[in-house]
Amino acid sequence: MMNELQYAGEYDLLECKLYTSKSTTVDLRQEIVEIDIYEDILRGGLTGRILVADTHSLITSLPITGEEGLSIKIKTPGFNQNRNSLDFTGERMFTINKISVRAELSQGSQIYALSFVSQELMIANRITVSKSYTDNISTMVEDILSSEQYIGTKKELFIEPTQGVRKIVFPNSYPYAAINKLANESYSAITNSPHYLFYEDADGFHFRTLQDLYKQPSVGLFHYGENFKNNPTYHRGTDFEPKVETIIDLKRILKYELHNNNDMFENARSGMLTSTNIAHDIYSKKYTKEEYNYFDEFETYRRISNTSNPKYSEKVNLNRYSKGRTFVNPISTTDGNDANHSGSYTPNKKDEMSFSDRQSRMFEMLKGTSLTATIPGNTAMRVGKVLSLDLPVIGIDHDDELTDKYLSGNFMVQKIRHQFSITTKQHFIHMQLTKDCIESTI
C-alpha cells in the first residue's frame, strides 16, 4: 500500500514553497538539504531552520531578503487521524526572519540556512497592547490572540477556563509578555491550579495548566534496547496506526542522556523545597506571612503520574530552612476581598500562597529530573504530550525488575526538534523530557 509506513522515520514532504515579496512562488523541495522545526512548552511560537543547497542562484535572482513566507506540509505515511501532520500552509505558514550560514558549496552552487518563525511570533514583536480589561483571564488571552487589533491568529486555541473576574490594565505591553503575566496570575476554574503555561505547538496555541496536560492519556510506552520487544503493553491503542513491527520501531529510543539536575544548592536558593512568602497589603498597610513546604503541598495539585512520590527524602526538616528564600508580593484588599477581582471574587489566600507553589513547580520542571532522547520521527508528536519510558537498569539488577524504578514512568515533552533529512529520507525527533515525581518511594 502506498499510504502505509514502510520503516520508522519515513515521511512525505508534501509541500515546501517560498513566497517572495514580489508575489513569486518557488517550490524548494529539490533544493532542500534539511528541515528543522522546534517546539518549546515555554515559548509562544514555533521556530525552525531550512538548509538550502542553491544551484539556481535563487537567493540573488528572486531575491531572498529574509521577509518571505514559507509553507511546509509534512506527514508520516499511515497516520490518518486528525492533527497527525505538520501542516503550515495557507494562513498557518511561517515567516522567514533571517538568512545565515551562507557559503559556497561547490562551483556554481552555494548553501545557506533560512531561519523561520510562526507569523504570530513575528507580529507579537511588532505591536503592543494598550487596553484595560475587566473580565475573566481566559477571555483576555483569547482576545489578545484572536483579535485583529493584536495577534489575529486563525489557528486553534486550547484555553483552559480561569476563575474570577480581574481588573487589569496593559500599558503598551508586548502581547506575549501580557499573556505570560496573565499566566502568572491565573487559577484554573476546573482544578484550582495556578500552574498555567502559554505555548504554541503544531496544532495551535495553548493556555493550560500542567494538570490539564497531565490528564492526557500517554501517547505510548517507549523503550531503550531490545529486551522489551515482546512486552504486550506495546500493542495497546495509541495514536499510531501502522503495523505492529513498525510501531515497536517508532517507540524505540535510539539514544538518551540523563539530566538529573536535583541540585540541592539551587533547590534551596530558588525556594523549590521551602520558602517564606510575605503578602504586603498596600491598602490596609498590613502584611501576612506564610511558609511553603514541598512535602506538605506535594499532593495538592496533580502530578504527572498517578502513583506519584516525592523525589526527595521526607526525613529532612524543611521548616528549619523556610527563610532560605523569601518572596514579597504586593496585594490590595477591600472588605476582605482582593481589589484586583470584581464580581465573582477570588479568595485572597491564593495571592499569598500560590506564588510560592507556582515558583516551586516551575523550577522543578526546569531543573528537576529530565532527559534528552532521540527517537524515529512521527509527525503526531507534540510538546506537552505525556509519554511513558522503560529505561533499563545499568549494571547489576539487584531487584530483578529490568527497568529503573526511579527513572522509568511518565514524562512530559518539554521541547521538540523535528529533524528531516532530505538525502536520507529520514525523520528524527530530539526531545527534552521532564517529570515532577517518581513512581517508587525513596
Side-chain angles (χ1 to χ4, degrees):
M1 294 178 61
M2 293 294 292
N3 200 36
E4 185 176 299
L5 186 64
Q6 301 300 316
Y7 58 90
E10 184 186 6
Y11 67 92
D12 290 331
L13 179 58
L14 303 176
E15 182 174 321
C16 186
K17 294 180 180 179
L18 191 71
Y19 298 84
T20 71
S21 57
K22 294 183 178 181
S23 301
T24 304
T25 303
V26 180
D27 192 332
L28 293 179
R29 284 182 292 180
Q30 301 303 315
E31 313 288 335
I32 301 170
V33 177
E34 184 176 287
I35 301 175
D36 294 307
I37 300 175
Y38 299 89
E39 297 181 8
D40 188 336
I41 203 168
L42 297 177
R43 185 170 56 213
L46 301 179
T47 61
R49 187 189 73 153
I50 181 169
L51 200 60
V52 180
D54 189 351
T55 59
H56 297 89
S57 192
L58 296 174
I59 195 170
T60 304
S61 61
L62 289 175
I64 301 175
T65 60
E67 54 184 355
E68 293 74 22
L70 177 68
S71 65
I72 298 175
K73 186 172 183 179
I74 307 174
K75 185 176 183 295
T76 300
F79 281 41
N80 300 317
Q81 298 180 13
N82 294 331
R83 304 195 185 102
N84 277 352
S85 65
L86 297 174
D87 187 355
F88 305 104
T89 58
E91 295 179 329
R92 299 171 58 88
M93 75 167 61
F94 292 112
T95 298
I96 303 295
N97 70 300
K98 185 172 65 173
I99 304 172
S100 60
V101 197
R102 185 176 178 181
E104 185 178 12
L105 186 61
S106 61
Q107 187 173 3
S109 66
Q110 58 183 318
I111 190 167
Y112 48 85
L114 302 178
S115 297
F116 56 84
V117 298
S118 52
Q119 294 183 61
E120 292 84 357
L121 185 58
M122 182 68 75
I123 293 171
N125 285 277
R126 289 179 169 176
I127 65 170
T128 57
V129 177
S130 295
K131 186 174 181 179
S132 64
Y133 287 95
T134 302
D135 212 330
N136 188 280
I137 284 183
S138 52
T139 304
M140 298 181 202
V141 173
E142 183 177 0
D143 179 66
I144 294 173
L145 289 173
S146 60
S147 172
E148 294 294 338
Q149 184 180 357
Y150 303 121
I151 300 299
T153 185
K154 299 300 188 292
K155 297 175 181 175
E156 191 169 358
L157 304 181
F158 303 87
I159 299 178
E160 183 179 352
T162 58
Q163 59 178 268
V165 175
R166 300 296 303 271
K167 294 187 290 186
I168 295 179
V169 177
F170 291 114
N172 212 36
S173 301
Y174 285 110
Y176 285 3
I179 294 176
N180 284 319
K181 180 180 185 298
L182 293 173
N184 290 330
E185 301 179 11
S186 298
Y187 303 93
S188 171
I190 301 172
T191 64
N192 208 31
S193 167
H195 307 133
Y196 268 85
L197 297 169
F198 168 61
Y199 65 95
E200 182 188 4
D201 67 7
D203 296 329
F205 287 94
H206 298 254
F207 187 78
R208 305 163 66 182
T209 61
L210 284 172
Q211 288 67 35
D212 193 46
L213 297 175
Y214 289 166
K215 73 180 183 182
Q216 301 175 104
S218 171
V219 298
L221 182 61
F222 291 75
H223 64 100
Y224 182 78
E226 300 289 339
N227 50 329
F228 303 111
K229 179 177 283 190
N230 296 319
N231 190 325
T233 57
Y234 287 109
H235 307 286
R236 62 192 177 195
T238 68
D239 287 338
F240 308 127
E241 294 185 357
K243 53 190 178 182
V244 171
E245 294 80 4
T246 312
I247 292 176
I248 294 175
D249 288 336
L250 281 171
K251 296 180 180 180
R252 189 187 311 279
I253 301 172
L254 303 177
K255 62 179 179 180
Y256 73 96
E257 182 178 346
L258 295 172
H259 303 281
N260 201 338
N261 301 323
N262 291 332
D263 188 321
M264 296 306 291
F265 280 115
E266 287 191 340
N267 291 343
R269 295 298 296 272
S270 67
M272 197 208 81
L273 291 177
T274 182
S275 64
T276 297
N277 194 52
I278 298 174
H280 176 229
D281 193 326
I282 59 178
Y283 183 82
S284 64
K285 304 299 187 291
K286 298 179 180 179
Y287 71 89
T288 57
K289 184 185 295 185
E290 296 278 354
E291 292 185 356
Y292 171 81
N293 184 298
Y294 172 80
F295 298 115
D296 292 344
E297 302 294 331
F298 183 81
E299 295 183 354
T300 302
Y301 303 107
R302 180 172 180 162
R303 300 273 170 171
I304 194 167
S305 298
N306 293 327
T307 55
S308 57
N309 294 282
K311 297 184 292 183
Y312 308 96
S313 172
E314 295 189 53
K315 293 182 180 180
V316 180
N317 181 14
L318 294 181
N319 293 327
R320 178 183 176 186
Y321 308 108
S322 62
K323 295 182 180 179
R325 182 65 188 267
T326 300
F327 300 106
V328 179
N329 297 298
I331 61 173
S332 179
T333 60
T334 56
D335 298 325
N337 291 316
D338 192 338
N340 286 324
H341 296 71
S342 64
S344 178
Y345 287 101
T346 301
N348 203 40
K349 176 77 172 175
K350 292 178 179 174
D351 286 330
E352 297 172 8
M353 240 347 245
S354 293
F355 181 84
S356 295
D357 193 292
R358 177 179 169 81
Q359 290 292 105
S360 174
R361 187 67 72 94
M362 293 299 110
F363 188 87
E364 187 175 20
M365 183 179 71
L366 293 174
K367 297 290 187 177
T369 303
S370 66
L371 61 85
T372 53
T374 298
I375 62 173
N378 70 81
T379 53
M381 189 63 76
R382 305 284 188 268
V383 292
K385 294 291 186 183
V386 175
L387 51 82
S388 302
L389 299 187
D390 264 346
L391 300 178
V393 174
I394 299 175
I396 300 174
D397 187 2
H398 295 281
D399 299 324
D400 293 327
E401 293 187 355
L402 296 180
T403 61
D404 189 317
K405 61 183 180 180
Y406 295 118
L407 291 175
S408 296
N410 286 354
F411 282 78
M412 184 181 69
V413 182
Q414 183 181 341
K415 296 180 181 180
I416 278 184
R417 172 193 172 197
H418 288 278
Q419 179 187 20
F420 301 93
S421 173
I422 307 302
T423 54
T424 61
K425 192 66 175 177
Q426 189 73 46
H427 173 200
F428 292 105
I429 290 178
H430 309 279
M431 303 183 291
Q432 181 170 323
L433 309 173
T434 184
K435 65 187 307 180
D436 58 9
C437 63
I438 57 178
E439 276 69 17
S440 300
T441 56
I442 294 179

